[in-house]
Amino acid sequence: MPIGYLVPVLLVACCTSASLSPARRPPRLGRLSFRMSVLVNEQPFALLLVLGAITALALADGDVETTGGRVALVLAVLTSLGLVLVARRGLRAAPALDHALVDGLRAGPGTVTNQGLPWARILLAPFAVRRRDVERLADLPYGGVGDNGVGGDGGGAASHDSRGREHRLDVYRPRVRPADGPTLVYFHGGGYVSGRKELEARAMLSRLASRGWVCVSANYGLRPTTNFPGHLVDAKRVLAWVREHGAAYGADSSRVLVAGSSAGAHLASLAALTPRNPRFQPGFEDADTSVAGAVCLYGYFGEYYGSGRDREVESAPDAYLHPAAPPFLVVHGDQDTLVPVEGARQFVADLREVSTSPVVYAELPGAQHGFDLFHSVRFDAVVTAVEEFADRVLAARGRAPEVPVERREER
């Protein structure tokens, strides 16, 4: 039996099945579905190439002449068809995002569909996120006592030693230093127990920086060292750092958007909805932590670890909704098995009832959790939508982002 052919085909087949029909219940199966499908969901073209290559080798070696080889060949063909379906769902992200932008911003038409995709990166370098025209200034301290940031108590954090890994940030900016580039502050996911600033959404941070933005990706205190509202205090410290020190890195601190993925989206939404709230800014109450807009990718919008409404401090974003909330872009996958899409739908509905600002909601067909880990058809469309959202939001404030003359996507 051709084990060397059958085993990888079977593995890709199982992962493709989890992508097409993920298990949602119980939660343990939902987490397994996510782990099995995250690569397939965003890289179906690469896996099609892998299947084609190993099938060609099996044919050349005569492996398909056995019963096991013929079974593996049939399974490879069926899996390839499944991968084509996965790829088609990824291609539907662009029109879904266009529709959401037109509907939420009441302006159009959207341009996400018209943007060329970087197929070379998607197919050949899905993990390569560095760009030659972008520099990353890593592990800058923020917010600790005695550094160049703001001081004060952590509001729930055990320690805010600026030398610690948790209170560091990275700055992405063009190598040709921008003059007053718009700024995106990003918070990673991980359920407040894991994650780091170098993992998610790097393709977005690098691409925006190549367009003239200054992007900040920050670590923050995690459980059990930090609990709510300590995480939010850290996020506010990052925003305060940008206001105070961003100009030294080419950032225009009057044009700041906040973004996050999963738990980072929970954090970003809370930060956006609570500008200058002294409860979350101990020791730096006068710092301006307002933002021009918020971007939430596959976000969680519920209570912090089931804390309920009896907490002294509310932890769900919907507890802080108000008419002057900044514009929001919420993007979620309809196949998310870690954070079900119903939570995003409810948050958007509640926000739209209260806020006078635009609320853009895009639901991505076939998307799972973690769709920002790679260069993919889906995530490159999301990044284009983020850029268009930011352009229009900042233009509405009276000043559009300054970007390089060449604004076309690489082919």
Side-chain angles (χ1 to χ4, degrees):
M1 179 173 292
I3 299 298
Y5 179 43
L6 180 59
V7 170
V9 169
L10 186 60
L11 179 61
V12 176
C14 290
C15 293
T16 302
S17 177
S19 177
L20 291 171
S21 184
R24 299 175 182 274
R25 294 288 185 271
R28 188 171 298 177
L29 278 180
R31 291 191 291 270
L32 179 61
S33 290
F34 162 68
R35 293 187 179 97
M36 291 178 63
S37 64
V38 62
L39 180 61
V40 172
N41 234 28
E42 301 308 315
Q43 296 299 322
F45 298 105
L47 289 175
L48 275 169
L49 292 175
V50 169
L51 273 183
I54 62 176
T55 297
L57 287 174
L59 288 169
D61 293 340
D63 290 341
V64 297
E65 296 176 2
T66 66
T67 301
R70 287 191 289 271
V71 170
L73 178 60
V74 171
L75 186 59
V77 171
L78 294 175
T79 301
S80 297
L81 293 175
L83 288 170
V84 170
L85 292 177
V86 172
R88 287 186 62 187
R89 294 194 310 191
L91 290 168
R92 290 168 58 194
L97 289 159
D98 261 345
H99 176 78
L101 288 166
V102 172
D103 180 63
L105 296 175
R106 296 290 185 263
T111 61
V112 179
T113 308
N114 298 330
Q115 293 290 323
L117 290 170
W119 284 106
R121 285 179 178 267
I122 291 170
L123 295 177
L124 303 177
F127 304 102
V129 294
R130 292 186 179 182
R131 291 173 177 256
R132 293 181 179 178
D133 59 346
V134 172
E135 66 175 338
R136 171 175 165 249
L137 308 177
D139 294 326
L140 303 176
Y142 73 86
V145 177
D147 63 18
N148 290 328
V150 289
D153 181 32
S159 171
H160 279 271
D161 184 354
S162 66
R163 293 169 296 178
R165 171 185 172 275
E166 290 183 338
H167 303 102
R168 301 276 175 167
L169 58 82
D170 296 343
V171 173
Y172 296 77
R173 67 179 185 181
R175 291 194 181 277
V176 178
R177 180 173 167 176
D180 298 329
T183 307
L184 182 78
V185 176
Y186 173 81
F187 298 108
H188 65 78
Y192 289 116
V193 298
S194 64
R196 63 183 188 274
K197 56 184 169 56
E198 306 92 351
L199 182 60
E200 297 144 332
R202 291 176 300 164
M204 176 174 71
L205 302 176
S206 295
R207 179 167 140 188
L208 290 178
S210 74
R211 301 292 186 88
W213 285 70
V214 174
C215 296
V216 174
S217 182
N219 285 339
Y220 50 89
L222 301 174
R223 285 166 61 97
T225 303
T226 307
N227 286 295
F228 189 83
H231 316 290
L232 181 54
V233 173
D234 282 348
K236 296 283 192 173
R237 291 180 185 279
V238 176
L239 292 171
W241 183 93
V242 169
R243 294 286 186 190
E244 185 174 354
H245 304 289
Y249 299 92
D252 179 356
S253 60
S254 68
R255 295 186 291 162
V256 179
L257 279 80
V258 66
S261 303
S262 195
H266 184 266
L267 192 56
S269 60
L270 283 167
L273 292 167
T274 58
R276 302 192 190 208
N277 188 321
R279 173 172 285 184
F280 306 127
Q281 298 183 202
F284 58 108
E285 292 85 354
D286 295 333
D288 182 5
T289 57
S290 62
V291 297
V295 176
C296 300
L297 307 179
Y298 54 92
Y300 171 73
F301 300 103
E303 295 285 344
Y304 179 83
Y305 281 88
S307 55
R309 295 289 183 176
D310 57 348
R311 286 181 57 92
E312 181 181 348
V313 181
E314 297 281 8
S315 59
D318 64 5
Y320 300 96
L321 303 181
H322 55 89
F328 268 72
L329 170 62
V330 179
V331 184
H332 213 96
D334 64 4
Q335 297 286 346
D336 194 322
T337 60
L338 293 189
V339 180
V341 67
E342 288 78 13
R345 292 171 182 168
Q346 187 61 55
F347 173 71
V348 167
D350 293 343
L351 182 58
R352 283 174 170 169
E353 284 188 4
V354 177
S355 177
T356 59
S357 298
V359 180
V360 179
Y361 176 58
E363 199 164 293
L364 305 182
Q368 249 281 12
H369 208 70
F371 54 73
D372 59 352
L373 293 174
F374 317 106
H375 276 292
S376 68
V377 170
R378 181 179 286 114
F379 188 53
D380 273 80
V382 170
V383 176
T384 301
V386 169
E387 190 173 13
E388 182 170 337
F389 169 79
D391 284 358
R392 295 193 181 189
V393 164
L394 293 174
R397 288 168 59 91
R399 184 180 180 190
E402 299 170 3
V403 296
V405 174
E406 290 191 5
R407 190 182 171 84
R408 61 183 180 272
E409 193 62 67
E410 65 263 290
R411 298 289 175 173

